[in-house]
Amino acid sequence: MIQPPVRFELLHRDRVTGARRGRLHTPHGVIETPVFMPVGTQATVKTMAPWELTEVGAGIILSNTYHLHLRPGEDLVAAAGGLHRFMDWPGAILTDSGGFQVFSLAPLRKVTDDGVAFRSHIDGSLRFFSPESVMRIENALGADIIMAFDECPPYPSSRAYLETSLRRTLDWAKRCVRAHQRPHEQALFGIVQGGDQPDLRRHAALELAALDLPGYAIGGLSVGESKPLMYELLAFTAPLLPADKPRYLMGVGSPEDLLEGVERGVDMFDCVLPTRIARNGTVLTRHGKLVVRNAQYARDFRPLDETCGCRVCQRFTRAYIRHLLKADEVLGIRLTTYHNVYFLLRLMEEMRRAIEEDRFLSFKQSFYRDFCVADRERPGPGEGAS
């Protein structure tokens, strides 16, 4: 019997919350879960070198099928030996299907049951994505985990639209399974959609589980709905997925969302938030978000976070980093990005330890007391998952 390319090992459940501690075995390393995956949309986590990602403890990153198809093209990446060699990344890689990006191009695309016709945001050229073409692209890119092509409906959407969209997504998932040419090298994950309708999400979860895929993602959340609704839908959906397969919540990465997601049984997360807000001069600290660009830090010679062990906090001051940002020096955003990615990876490490010791709830409450109550400043324009 051939060993699947990605295998999930459930090690422990927190006795109070049911939060999961696991291990994801991939062709490029073993990933401890729950895990946050930094986003490297165009085969790079913005401003970070691969060895810096290894240094901060990243074992898996995410890249984007839509963007890599448009530039430089999957054929070039394949000729280079696949994404791992192309970007000199020794760890695991997950490629999303590009579905979210395609469907965000509302004025530039047309959706049918066959697939999606759209115009490139780069040069306006007409392109077409179908489940079969997306599988060809993802097979050529060569990531360890690849995502099925799905439709991510906007929020809010009518019941009728959600039903049509979900029927299409489930049909596309089956077509992706049939078109997948490298099932012994790349693990294909399905994506649960259904908008804000619990019964549709139940139907999606059960239909996808019947395909016996290596893993499952929960999509269509954090797209404009309220936080309480997102957490309610997540709590409803996650337990419907197979317990022996990894559960991946797409596009979510704020500290509070990571905590709430882990509590509800999620194993994998990704988001551009830590790198995006870093470029706007905002950093995550144990005492909330800090906008280091602000004038009040011009003569502040403390580290970004006095509790942080990252290289940035051990060597540089808020005053210096603010100076770099105000002077538009690239090093400024390199330092804020490095710190933010390190912060979230350490947070996940602490959560894993808390689950192992059956104290996840007390850890979460303690974190909130420091982070949310003392969240003195809010980031400026630009924060979000895009």
Side-chain angles (χ1 to χ4, degrees), residues 231 253-263 273 277 283-290 305 307-308 339-354 359-376 378:
Y231 298 151
S254 69
E256 55 270 33
D257 288 348
L258 294 175
L259 285 159
E260 298 297 336
V262 167
E263 183 175 4
L273 181 140
I277 66 172
V283 293
L284 301 166
T285 80
R286 203 64 177 208
H287 299 292
K289 299 187 184 83
L290 184 148
D305 185 345
T307 70
C308 180
H339 167 80
N340 279 351
V341 172
Y342 179 97
F343 180 92
L344 288 187
L345 294 178
R346 291 293 80 72
L347 175 60
M348 302 309 294
E349 184 179 293
E350 292 179 72
M351 281 196 261
R352 292 194 294 267
R353 191 177 307 119
R359 55 176 182 84
F360 180 80
L361 188 58
S362 63
F363 170 79
K364 174 187 157 186
Q365 292 168 341
S366 174
F367 182 89
Y368 273 155
R369 278 195 298 271
D370 291 337
F371 186 83
C372 293
V373 174
D375 190 0
R376 302 180 304 279
R378 293 293 178 183

Side-chain angles (χ1 to χ4, degrees), residues 36-37 39 227 251-258 270-280 282-284 289 337 340-341 344 371 379 382-386:
F36 175 78
M37 301 179 287
V39 175
K227 292 284 189 181
V252 168
S254 69
E256 55 270 33
D257 288 348
L258 294 175
D270 83 278
C271 192
V272 300
L273 181 140
T275 53
R276 185 176 178 86
I277 66 172
R279 297 194 298 278
N280 294 315
T282 299
V283 293
L284 301 166
K289 299 187 184 83
T337 300
N340 279 351
V341 172
L344 288 187
F371 186 83
E383 177 183 350
S386 64

Side-chain angles (χ1 to χ4, degrees), residues 75-133:
D75 292 340
L76 186 147
V77 174
L83 265 181
H84 294 90
R85 289 188 181 179
F86 186 56
M87 63 188 296
D88 191 29
W89 171 244
I93 300 175
L94 182 151
T95 47
D96 63 17
S97 68
F100 179 82
Q101 286 71 31
V102 168
F103 291 104
S104 68
L105 299 170
L108 304 175
R109 49 89 171 162
K110 179 180 179 181
V111 185
T112 67
D113 286 349
D114 292 332
V116 185
F118 63 95
R119 292 198 175 274
S120 162
H121 73 284
I122 297 173
D123 59 11
S125 59
L126 185 63
R127 309 291 180 111
F128 184 77
F129 270 8
S130 67
E132 292 77 15
S133 68

Side-chain angles (χ1 to χ4, degrees), residues 157-159 162 193-202 233 236:
S157 293
S158 68
R159 171 77 186 201
L162 290 174
Q193 293 289 356
D196 58 357
Q197 302 296 304
D199 64 314
L200 295 185
R201 287 197 170 265
R202 177 190 293 277
L233 290 168
F236 175 83

Side-chain angles (χ1 to χ4, degrees), residues 118-192:
F118 63 95
R119 292 198 175 274
S120 162
H121 73 284
I122 297 173
D123 59 11
S125 59
L126 185 63
R127 309 291 180 111
F128 184 77
F129 270 8
S130 67
E132 292 77 15
S133 68
V134 167
M135 286 297 97
R136 284 195 296 271
I137 296 168
E138 293 197 84
N139 286 162
L141 293 174
D144 303 86
I145 299 171
I146 64 177
M147 303 304 300
F149 190 48
D150 67 320
E151 180 178 1
C152 182
Y155 178 85
S157 293
S158 68
R159 171 77 186 201
Y161 182 89
L162 290 174
E163 288 176 348
T164 299
S165 174
L166 180 57
R167 174 190 55 76
R168 184 178 289 136
T169 285
L170 294 176
D171 178 59
W172 286 357
K174 295 168 187 174
R175 287 167 59 184
C176 284
V177 171
R178 293 194 294 269
H180 184 17
Q181 295 298 305
R182 301 175 63 185
H184 304 310
E185 301 171 51
Q186 298 175 289
L188 173 63
F189 283 21
I191 304 174
V192 174

Side-chain angles (χ1 to χ4, degrees), residues 52-64:
E52 292 174 316
L53 289 167
T54 300
E55 186 175 83
V56 297
I60 179 171
I61 63 174
L62 180 143
S63 286
N64 183 269

